[in-house]
Amino acid sequence: TVHVTVPVDETVKADLDAWAESRGVSVDTVLSQVVEAFVAERREIETAVAEARADIAAGRVHSHEDVVARLKGRRRDWRAAE
């Protein structure tokens, strides 16, 4: 485990204290969970971007016009089903 010191505004610290207390956990636990979630989300985004770039390089793309037409068709079908 590594410990990191992060400067925060006093108001933010008070909010963190209140949030942690309301959940019965420490501020360290709250911050650890938040950082882990952020890092996991960033990894997912970076993976998705890499996959998208590979799709573009391989020519697996759709024109803007095709996408708009498909979405309009879905909207039309959705409205007809109401």
Side-chain angles (χ1 to χ4, degrees):
T1 300
V2 176
H3 294 272
V4 179
T5 301
V6 179
V8 295
D9 184 89
E10 289 181 25
T11 304
V12 172
K13 176 63 166 95
D15 288 343
L16 284 168
D17 289 338
W19 193 23
E21 185 177 340
S22 72
R23 286 159 179 74
V25 298
S26 69
V27 171
D28 290 346
T29 298
V30 170
L31 290 175
S32 179
Q33 291 171 347
V34 167
V35 170
E36 287 174 11
F38 174 80
V39 170
E41 182 177 315
R42 293 302 309 165
R43 284 184 184 140
E44 289 177 19
I45 291 169
E46 290 173 5
T47 297
V49 168
E51 290 172 359
R53 288 183 174 153
D55 285 342
I56 291 168
R60 295 184 297 265
V61 297
H62 302 278
S63 72
H64 175 75
E65 293 78 15
D66 289 344
V67 172
V68 169
R70 184 173 181 185
L71 291 173
K72 284 182 179 180
R74 285 184 177 182
R75 182 174 56 186
R76 185 179 52 251
D77 294 345
W78 178 75
R79 287 183 175 165
E82 289 183 323

